[in-house]
Structures are given as C-alpha cells and as structure tokens.
Amino acid sequence: MNPLRSVGAKLSLALAAIVAGALAIVYLIVVPSLERNLVDAKRTQLRRALPGVVRQLPNSPYLWQDFAQTAAESTNARVVLLDTLYEGPPVTLTTSADSNLVESTDVERDPIAIKAATRLERVEGTTVRHGQRYAEVAAPVARDGPVLLLSAPLRDSLRSVHLVQRRLLLAGLGALAVAAGLGLLGSLVFTRRIRRLERAADRIAGGEFGEPVHDASEDELGQLAGAFDRMRLRLARLEHARREFIANASHELRTPIFSLSGFLELLTDEELDEATRREFLLTMREQIERLTRLATDLLDLSRLDAGRIHVERQSLDLGTLAEALVEEFSPAARARGHELSAVVSVDAAAAADEERVRQIGGILLENALVHTPPGTTVRVRARTQNSRAELTVEDDGPGIAPELTERVFERFSRGDGSIASGSGLGLAIARELAELMDGSVELTSRLGRTAFTLSLPSSTAEPAFSRENAEVLV
Ligand SMILES: Nc1ncnc2c1ncn2[C@@H]1O[C@H](COP(=O)(O)OP(=O)(O)OP(=O)(O)O)[C@@H](O)[C@H]1O
Ligand SMILES: [Mg+2]
C-alpha cells in the first residue's frame, strides 16, 4: 500500500493540519493587533508632542535649525520644518530646517507633510522611506508658516513584533513536528488493531471459525471486533447446520436406495415364488414413493433457502379449503380408522397463497393421521381470531412428548418410534412457508389434544362467499 495512503499518514497529516490551522489563527489574531497597537502608541506620542514644539518655535527662521535639533532630542523624533515652494496643486515643499543633518531632501516629497500643507490641517499616519517605516505627524505652524513634521522610525517598536513572529514560527514548526510524530505513534497502535481485525476477517473468510475475534477496548474498533465475533459465531452455526443438513439428507436418501438395491438383488433370485416377488415389488414401490417425496421436500427446502419460492397474496376462504382438505384425506382417514371432520366459522378469509396453504394443511393433516393411533378423532378448524385467519388441525391422540415440542419444527427432527417414520421435514417446510406469507405455525400439545395452528394475515377483502357455521362429518 502507498505509505501516504495509510491510516498513520492520514492521521499525522490531519493532526499537522489542525495544529497549522490553530497556529495560523493565533498568528492572525496576535501579530496584526500587536503591530497596530505599537504604531498607534508611537503616533499618539508624536501627536502629543506636536503642540509643544509648535508653541516653542522661534519666529526667526535663522534659529529653526538649532531649534529642530533641540526639539528632536526632547521628542525622540526627527523634526523637520518645510516651506511651501509652490502652492500647487500639487504642493511642492522644500526643507528649511531638519534635525537630521545627513539628508534633508528625502522628506520634501513626504506624503503626510504634503497632505498637511494642502489641507492646512494636522495629518498623521505612517510612511515608508528607504525601506523603513515611520510614524509621522505633520501640521502647518500658521497660515503662511512652514509645515512642521515629526517623524519617528518604527523599527525599534516593530522589533518586538518581529520577535513574536519568529517565536510563533518556531513554535509552529515544533508543534507541527510533534503533532506529526504523535499522529504516527497513535496510528501505529490503531494500525496494529486494524491488522488484527483484518487477519480475523481473512480467517473467517477462509472458513476457520474456531478462534474468537477479541479486542478488549470499548471504542469503535472494539465494537467492530464484537460484531466480527458475532458474525463468526453465526457463520459457524450456519456452517454446522449446512453440514448437518447434507449429512441428514444423504443419510435419508441412502436408506431407501440401500433397501431398493437389496430387493433388486433378491429379485434376481429365480427361485422366488410369485407371492414373495409381489410383496417385494410392493415394498420397492413404497421406497420409491418415499424417495420421490424426500426429493420434493429437499427441493422445497433448498428453494426456501434460496428465496426462490414466490407466494401470491389473494383472498382465500380457509373454510372452503378446510372442507376440501377433509374431503381429500377422508379415504386415508377411513383406511386408518380415524374420524375426520371440518369445523368452519362464518368467515375465515386469509390473505395468502392458496397452493401453499393447501400444502401446509396437507402436512399437518397427514401428521395427525400418521402419527396417532387408529381411532383418533381429527378436526380441521377454520376461523378468524384477533384479526388473524387461522387453520387448526387438532387430534385427541397421545400428544407430542414435551422434550420434542421445542424441536418438531427443526429440519429432520422426528419423534422416536413414530408410528410411521417420515424424514422429519414436513413441519419445517410448513413453518417456513407460513413465515413467507407473514404467518406462523404454532403447536399446543397435551395428553388428549394436539393442535397445530396455521395463523395468517386476515384478508380485508370480502371472503369468496359467506356461509353459516357448519360441521361436516366424514
Ligand atoms: N399430530 C401429531 N401427533 C403426534 N406427533 C406428531 C404429530 N405431528 C407431528 N408429530 C411428531 O413430529 C415429528 C415431526 O413431524 P414432521 O412432519 O416434521 O416429520 P415427519 O412427519 O416425521 O416426516 P415427513 O413429514 O417429512 O414425512 C413427527 O415425526 C412426529 O413424531
Ligand atoms: Mg410429517
């Protein structure tokens, strides 16, 4: 990875940017105001000194030069007297006395003095001469008199400003280096933790679920590690369930295939009498039927897992469906010596998929007929309860053992010594199909009453047709 794109580099840069920003703000607040204050103080000093100098100015111009020098010492400023050579515009000035003996012509074009001569009033400000800044105050002494200019260099005053500037710059550079270093150091700790998480994610992606993902800290990375660990546990459970499903499914498929191959071998024995051969063929047909059913159930489950089962939402009268189911299963019920009936309320309209509800009803009804002893009464009820449409299949058989009631809806879960042993997939399919239609399948079981209730959203539309309460006995 490009080192500049690493978290460490980004964190260091961010910290450095924050420090640089903070220092820039401090600089902009401190330096200009300090400079302004110092310049103002100098100007005030000159302004205050000006009236005294004007008052003491001798009348005779011959004395001005000496006066300028004395005044310069007392005011701590250069004192210049300028005569107006030409009244302008623009006004032209000429030096008539200057405390600075070296060069006097440089102030003749002084903008502050020219302004004072033009406006005939006191003017103050700062100006730059020979690359140096000066605070200046200028005023005409009298109407026709010279312009008095007090000019003091700002170099000494601004020295402290430059000192502050330098210190700030140095402090800034130091703070930047410290910030970048700290950012890099802090990021090293985080990078190590992130790398640990990355390795854990790679392990999980590679199917290793054994090692827990752990991070003792409670910050966001700690929470991310917690989420990773929850994902690891869930994936481990799913993987376990997947393996178990495949093992169960292949075992379920192997049993009938093994039995079929045994019978085939026996059938090749030519000494078999006709009656035994018929019996074998009958058993083989049963095994093939079992295999076909198992294949259909497994296909249903895999479609459910893949989310490929589409359910319609249509208004469906559960009463009509209950009666149809009773009619369909009545021959099987009669053959096993069961009494089968439907108890139907006036309107039990559900918003559901007819084919899937019929499939669930069939699973429940078949269980009630297959897993109960002969002579058991089985009822199919349809009603609306708490604005849910319900289809209940109940029997007065021996019930389901309490330790099994929790598990009956799990795949491949079946009761020990079931009267007729299936694959244990029926109820799992029923519940998953019901959930697909925003419904549920619940079990209430006690000795003498076992009831499986399919609860579905009730349809707001009118039921297909309305009918009086009726009990149909078969
Ligand atoms: N009405 C019932 N009375 C007693 N036991 C029941 C009843 N319904 C279900 N069971 C028990 O619940 C178990 C699970 O039922 P499920 O329909 O899921 O599987 P199965 O009937 O054994 O096999 P499959 O339906 O796949 O052929 C059954 O094996 C049986 O022990
Ligand atoms: Mg079943």
Side-chain angles (χ1 to χ4, degrees):
M1 198 201 332
N2 182 350
L4 276 180
R5 291 180 173 230
S6 69
V7 177
K10 283 181 186 162
L11 207 66
S12 303
L13 281 179
L15 265 178
I18 290 169
V19 169
L23 283 170
I25 290 171
V26 169
Y27 183 94
L28 287 177
I29 289 173
V30 171
V31 173
S33 74
L34 182 65
E35 190 177 323
R36 211 170 29 248
N37 285 348
L38 290 170
V39 171
D40 283 354
K42 201 74 186 173
R43 270 167 48 178
T44 310
Q45 185 202 331
L46 294 180
R47 190 189 321 126
R48 284 195 185 137
L50 186 80
V53 180
V54 171
R55 252 197 320 276
Q56 288 167 14
L57 183 74
N59 286 332
S60 165
Y62 298 109
L63 300 173
W64 285 357
Q65 182 57 38
D66 286 344
F67 171 76
Q69 275 169 281
T70 327
E73 276 167 30
S74 63
T75 55
N76 234 340
R78 180 178 175 185
V79 178
V80 188
L81 284 155
L82 298 142
D83 280 329
T84 308
L85 204 63
Y86 174 61
E87 288 191 347
V91 174
T92 315
L93 298 173
T94 178
T95 315
S96 77
D98 186 353
S99 62
N100 178 10
L101 298 168
V102 184
E103 191 182 7
S104 290
T105 50
D106 61 339
V107 283
E108 285 176 355
R109 301 172 68 86
D110 186 279
I112 287 162
I114 290 174
K115 214 181 274 178
T118 311
R119 294 186 191 164
L120 293 177
E121 62 182 21
R122 193 186 72 205
V123 178
E124 57 180 78
T126 61
T127 186
V128 178
R129 249 192 329 272
H130 308 305
Q132 288 249 21
R133 276 185 82 191
Y134 293 86
E136 292 188 334
V137 178
V141 174
R143 204 143 210 338
D144 299 323
V147 170
L148 175 65
L149 171 71
L150 299 185
S151 173
L154 285 168
R155 189 183 47 225
D156 290 343
S157 306
L158 293 181
R159 195 167 286 150
S160 53
V161 176
H162 293 142
L163 186 76
V164 170
Q165 272 175 328
R166 259 200 316 278
R167 290 271 156 88
L168 267 177
L169 200 72
L170 281 177
L173 287 176
L176 278 182
V178 170
L182 278 181
L184 215 62
L185 218 75
S187 69
L188 275 183
V189 178
F190 278 102
T191 314
R192 259 221 312 276
R193 290 170 63 197
I194 293 171
R195 289 243 180 283
R196 243 196 342 251
L197 280 183
E198 191 185 349
R199 280 199 299 275
D202 280 343
R203 271 201 314 277
I204 294 172
E208 276 179 53
F209 304 117
E211 198 177 320
V213 188
H214 181 67
D215 190 302
S217 173
E218 280 180 10
D219 59 9
E220 285 84 347
L221 279 184
Q223 287 169 10
L224 183 64
F228 264 152
D229 205 48
R230 287 194 293 282
M231 180 180 79
R232 174 188 71 88
L233 290 174
R234 181 153 169 65
L235 284 176
R237 268 200 304 275
L238 283 178
E239 178 64 10
H240 178 73
R242 191 183 68 87
R243 283 173 199 272
E244 207 171 62
F245 181 80
I246 291 173
N248 279 328
S250 43
H251 177 78
E252 287 299 319
L253 288 168
R254 216 176 46 208
T255 317
I257 291 171
F258 183 70
S259 137
L260 276 174
S261 73
F263 279 118
L264 270 177
E265 222 166 273
L266 287 174
L267 278 178
T268 49
D269 185 351
E270 280 162 19
E271 283 174 26
L272 273 183
D273 58 87
E274 192 51 34
T276 319
R277 188 184 297 269
R278 248 177 223 287
E279 196 187 317
F280 281 3
L281 284 175
L282 207 69
T283 320
M284 284 173 74
R285 208 168 73 197
E286 274 170 15
Q287 294 295 356
I288 286 174
E289 271 167 14
R290 194 174 161 194
L291 264 180
T292 314
R293 235 191 92 163
L294 188 63
T296 318
D297 284 355
L298 288 175
L299 196 66
D300 270 351
L301 280 174
S302 84
R303 280 195 185 134
L304 277 166
D305 285 344
R308 278 198 290 119
I309 287 196
H310 177 70
V311 287
E312 299 282 335
R313 290 290 163 85
Q314 51 200 209
S315 180
L316 170 68
D317 183 29
L318 292 185
T320 318
L321 193 117
E323 284 168 356
L325 277 171
V326 165
E327 208 172 304
E328 183 186 334
F329 280 81
S330 58
R334 216 175 288 128
R336 289 171 177 271
H338 289 300
E339 189 183 308
L340 178 60
S341 62
V343 183
V344 178
S345 288
V346 176
D347 52 354
D353 184 308
E354 182 172 0
E355 192 193 329
R356 296 302 170 189
V357 175
R358 190 181 283 269
Q359 186 179 355
I360 297 171
I363 290 171
L364 300 179
L365 204 46
E366 188 194 304
N367 277 354
L369 297 177
V370 165
H371 300 299
T372 54
T376 309
T377 308
V378 179
R379 278 200 179 81
V380 184
R381 288 181 189 277
R383 62 174 180 171
T384 299
Q385 182 85 336
N386 300 329
S387 62
R388 303 278 292 176
E390 290 184 352
L391 182 78
T392 304
V393 177
E394 60 179 40
D395 63 67
D396 58 2
I400 296 177
E403 63 273 13
L404 193 66
T405 51
E406 296 293 316
R407 291 190 292 110
V408 277
F409 293 102
E410 287 173 17
R411 296 176 181 187
F412 298 106
S413 146
R414 58 192 162 202
D416 287 333
S418 275
I419 298 166
S421 71
S423 310
L425 293 177
L427 287 176
I429 293 174
R431 176 166 270 187
E432 288 185 37
L433 281 176
E435 282 168 1
L436 218 57
M437 295 184 284
D438 295 330
S440 64
V441 180
E442 302 297 339
L443 160 66
T444 46
S445 174
R446 58 182 149 78
L447 190 68
R449 185 172 183 267
T450 305
F452 284 93
T453 303
L454 164 66
S455 160
L456 291 165
S458 98
S459 156
T460 43
E462 284 295 300
F465 60 87
S466 185
R467 174 169 38 98
E468 292 305 306
N469 280 2
E471 180 152 342
V472 185
L473 279 174
V474 183

